[in-house]
Amino acid sequence: MATKCPSCGLINPPDAERCDCGYDFVSQAQQHSYLGEGGQRAQAAGAHSAQKRRFVSRGIRLVAGGLGAAALGIVLCVEAKEFGLAWYHPIPAFLLALFLFGWGLRDLLQAGQ
């Protein structure tokens, strides 16, 4: 089974004793990296790219969830009116929709930076 480095998050082969970032799996301590300065920059760029993908993915899911919550609020509002349910207020559904939509947009904007 592959080993995930607790220092940089890189997935390493099961028989690896050290990660490229220098973390030693045997002693569980950070040591100097096997990579030169260029390799460390490339690894950091890869980690940044992975973080950007997570922000985009989560942002899209949250925006879609916000739109779904808004649609559900509208449907429930129409149905409640049709059945004479005067007690139903769509405000919580719309607040949830705004929250999810705003959170998703924030993540998408962070991914763009």
Side-chain angles (χ1 to χ4, degrees), residues 54-64 100 103-105 107-108:
R54 280 193 299 272
F55 274 129
V56 168
S57 174
R58 186 172 67 183
I60 290 171
R61 286 193 311 259
L62 288 169
V63 167
L100 291 174
W103 192 11
L105 284 179
D107 281 355
L108 288 173

Side-chain angles (χ1 to χ4, degrees), residues 57-112:
S57 174
R58 186 172 67 183
I60 290 171
R61 286 193 311 259
L62 288 169
V63 167
L67 293 175
L72 179 65
I74 291 169
V75 167
L76 289 176
C77 187
V78 169
E79 291 295 321
K81 213 176 198 185
E82 184 178 318
F83 290 108
L85 300 175
W87 55 267
Y88 175 72
H89 296 285
I91 293 172
F94 290 120
L95 289 176
L96 176 65
L98 282 174
F99 174 74
L100 291 174
F101 193 75
W103 192 11
L105 284 179
R106 185 198 66 170
D107 281 355
L108 288 173
L109 290 174
Q110 282 182 347

Side-chain angles (χ1 to χ4, degrees), residues 29-66:
Q30 185 73 33
Q31 298 179 4
H32 70 280
S33 175
Y34 289 133
L35 303 174
E37 187 177 318
Q40 288 175 341
R41 265 191 253 127
Q43 186 178 14
H48 179 69
S49 175
Q51 182 181 18
K52 195 179 239 187
R53 283 192 304 271
R54 280 193 299 272
F55 274 129
V56 168
S57 174
R58 186 172 67 183
I60 290 171
R61 286 193 311 259
L62 288 169
V63 167

Side-chain angles (χ1 to χ4, degrees), residues 3-56:
T3 307
K4 183 176 180 180
C5 177
S7 178
C8 70
L10 184 70
I11 304 296
N12 292 278
D15 57 340
E17 293 180 6
R18 284 183 60 186
C19 180
D20 289 342
C21 72
Y23 184 81
D24 191 332
F25 295 116
V26 178
S27 67
Q28 297 183 347
Q30 185 73 33
Q31 298 179 4
H32 70 280
S33 175
Y34 289 133
L35 303 174
E37 187 177 318
Q40 288 175 341
R41 265 191 253 127
Q43 186 178 14
H48 179 69
S49 175
Q51 182 181 18
K52 195 179 239 187
R53 283 192 304 271
R54 280 193 299 272
F55 274 129
V56 168

